């Protein structure tokens, strides 16, 4: 799942602010790279940069177990670049960890600890996520093609 978030100074002109890509499976290894070619077309306008920076992409990666159950594998976010060009971004993912009993249950029957509310992914990350016990859950690489208009003329 993906979601674009933007501050009050940014105006969303077009494109879906959130969505979900398709499912892919590893054939050989859990460390195998999976390619999900999912185009996203977004349009934003900004008059100045008085607030926080550029829009950000918030991700939730899911996994499907042998029984077809969908579970959150990791969460993360990255800010979009403000410069025209093609950008390769790596989004580090994390997931909450539970008690040793919950982790054993997750290993045996796939019932991994998950967030009751996805706000700590970014919206309340600075005040709420510090209280969470988390572990690294891999990363997602994103290729973005950014086109800017009138940024130099506006001094941005």
């Amino acid at each position: 799942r993906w979601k674009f978030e933007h501050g009050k100074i940014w105006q969303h002109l077009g494109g879906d602010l959130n969505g979900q890509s398709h499912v892919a499976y590893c054939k050989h290894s859990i460390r195998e790279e999976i390619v999900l070619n999912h185009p996203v077309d977004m349009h934003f306008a900004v008059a100045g940069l008085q607030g926080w920076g550029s829009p950000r992409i918030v991700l939730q990666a899911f996994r499907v177990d042998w029984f077809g159950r969908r579970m959150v594998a990791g969460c993360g976010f990255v800010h979009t670049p403000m410069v025209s060009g093609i950008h390769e971004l790596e989004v580090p993912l994390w997931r909450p960890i539970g008690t040793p009993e919950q982790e054993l249950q997750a290993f045996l029957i796939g019932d991994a600890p998950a967030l009751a509310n996805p706000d700590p992914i970014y919206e309340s990350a600075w005040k709420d996520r510090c209280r969470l016990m988390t572990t690294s859950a891999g990363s997602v690489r994103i290729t973005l093609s950014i086109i800017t208009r009138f940024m130099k003329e506006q001094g941005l």
Side-chain angles (χ1 to χ4, degrees), residues 55-90:
R56 60 185 167 250
I57 304 170
V58 178
L59 299 175
Q60 281 185 309
F62 292 86
R63 65 182 178 89
V64 179
D65 69 3
W66 292 100
F67 303 106
R69 295 177 296 193
R70 190 180 78 161
M71 292 163 280
V72 176
C75 309
F77 70 91
V78 67
H79 288 274
T80 57
M82 295 283 294
V83 180
S84 294
I86 297 174
H87 304 275
E88 293 278 336
L89 305 174
E90 188 161 350

Side-chain angles (χ1 to χ4, degrees), residues 1-3 36 57-64 70-77 91-97 112-115 118 120-122 129 132-140:
R1 237 186 260 178
W2 52 268
K3 176 171 113 175
L36 299 173
I57 304 170
V58 178
L59 299 175
Q60 281 185 309
F62 292 86
R63 65 182 178 89
V64 179
R70 190 180 78 161
M71 292 163 280
V72 176
C75 309
F77 70 91
V91 184
L93 300 179
W94 58 271
R95 69 168 184 85
I97 56 175
L115 297 172
I121 296 173
Y122 185 85
R129 206 169 111 199
L132 289 174
M133 296 293 291
T134 63
T135 186
S136 175
S139 63
V140 173

Side-chain angles (χ1 to χ4, degrees), residues 101-113:
E101 293 83 14
Q102 289 172 323
E103 290 296 312
L104 180 62
Q105 181 178 352
F107 178 75
L108 294 175
I109 58 175
D111 189 22

